[in-house]
Amino acid sequence: MLIDVVTIFPEYLAPARLSLLGKAADAGIVRLRVHDLRDWTSDRHRTVDDTPYGGGAGMVMRPEPWGRALDDLLAPAGPEARPGTAALVIPTASGELFAQDTAARLAQADHLVFACGRYEGIDARVAAHYRDRVGLAVAELSIGDYVLAGGEAAALVIIEAITRLLPGVLGNAESLAEESHVKPGLLEYPVYTKPPSWRGLDVPEVLTSGHHGRIAEWRRAQAAERTRRMRPDLAGGGFAAPPGTVEG
Ligand code: 6GU
């Protein structure tokens, strides 16, 4: 998978070179390229933003640098041409909520281009152009109900969630199936390792019993209890109010 990230803060993506994604890159499973949006500006000041039409606070990213950058990255000519499926990901607080199923879907693409906006966001014609005129899959994604200063931190989150799903990236394929949010609506059970007693807290007896049936049943019950306690909105078929909801 080729991942291109366009941002006005290329250094922000440095952590993506570490750990899991770093290993995936070394193994040739992922290629990550980070680009400075200002390389596609044409004025002396390398301007990327302007005041919003209709008024209001803050600045909006102008469409022209984005159009030039995305054209270059999405439709390279000659030997750099890429067959296969590409998608444009635009992290934005006003996007669709990013979740495990979104990660699994995006993990099927062979080319992802992330357009990281700053300020009040990117001129809306950019998403419209690539979705409606170019016919590209365009995903405007939010990573949660809070406001970040830009799309870079969200892009890091989304890239990590996607790349760990690629074949060969995780050492243990089983850990993919077991974890929270893969079994829809169920959080992961609590886990323990050595020592058997730590500061007076003992590992639950069932886990050292060697009885695989009882262990599986205990884990199922713990996962259900934890889900009810931590995420009542997920438990019981998803009809409960989400966390933070004030009832009455
Ligand atoms: Cl993707 N971007 C910004 N700026 N804020 C967010 C977000 C994204 N997801 C949640 N808040």
Side-chain angles (χ1 to χ4, degrees):
M1 174 184 279
L2 173 64
I3 300 177
D4 283 304
V5 180
V6 185
T7 166
I8 58 168
F9 296 119
E11 304 82 8
Y12 208 119
L13 274 292
R17 308 266 175 212
L18 300 172
S19 183
L20 203 66
L21 184 51
K23 279 183 210 136
D26 293 343
I29 298 165
V30 174
R31 183 168 169 222
L32 176 70
R33 303 190 300 193
V34 182
H35 312 270
D36 189 339
L37 177 67
R38 292 190 201 277
D39 292 346
W40 284 278
T41 55
S42 48
D43 64 309
R44 204 165 56 85
H45 299 289
R46 311 227 293 165
T47 308
V48 294
D49 62 334
D50 214 321
T51 53
Y53 278 118
M59 301 290 270
V60 174
M61 293 190 111
R62 293 173 60 110
E64 309 99 310
W66 283 111
R68 288 191 286 264
L70 297 175
D71 285 351
D72 279 355
L73 297 174
L74 287 164
E80 280 283 280
R82 296 184 62 82
T85 52
L88 173 61
V89 180
I90 306 178
T92 168
S94 60
E96 187 185 312
L97 199 60
F98 177 70
Q100 191 63 31
D101 61 330
T102 333
R105 187 162 46 80
L106 290 172
Q108 303 302 310
D110 17 56
H111 186 196
L112 295 177
V113 179
F114 286 79
C116 298
R118 282 266 148 181
Y119 318 112
E120 300 306 307
I122 301 171
D123 186 300
R125 289 170 293 184
V126 174
H129 172 76
Y130 288 96
R131 181 181 290 128
D132 303 334
R133 312 243 285 274
V134 179
L136 198 68
V138 177
E140 294 178 89
L141 300 177
S142 163
I143 61 164
D145 293 334
Y146 40 81
V147 180
L148 302 171
E152 288 79 8
L156 280 174
V157 167
I158 295 168
I159 289 168
E160 181 161 317
I162 292 168
T163 52
R164 64 186 291 286
L165 297 179
L166 299 177
V169 172
L170 275 198
N172 179 5
E174 257 185 41
S175 59
L176 278 183
E178 278 291 309
E179 68 202 5
S180 302
H181 298 300
V182 171
K183 291 184 187 124
L186 203 58
L187 302 185
E188 207 173 350
Y189 49 79
V191 294
Y192 300 86
T193 185
K194 286 166 269 302
S197 185
W198 178 75
R199 297 190 179 181
L201 297 171
D202 294 343
V203 171
E205 177 275 329
V206 60
L207 297 180
T208 54
S209 69
H211 194 302
H212 299 300
R214 277 181 56 211
I215 292 171
E217 181 44 45
W218 181 85
R219 285 177 167 169
R220 261 194 299 279
Q222 288 285 313
E225 189 282 322
R226 188 176 172 84
T227 306
R228 272 191 300 274
R229 181 160 44 89
M230 304 292 247
R231 294 292 303 275
D233 58 312
L234 293 180
F239 291 103
T245 303
V246 178
E247 302 208 32

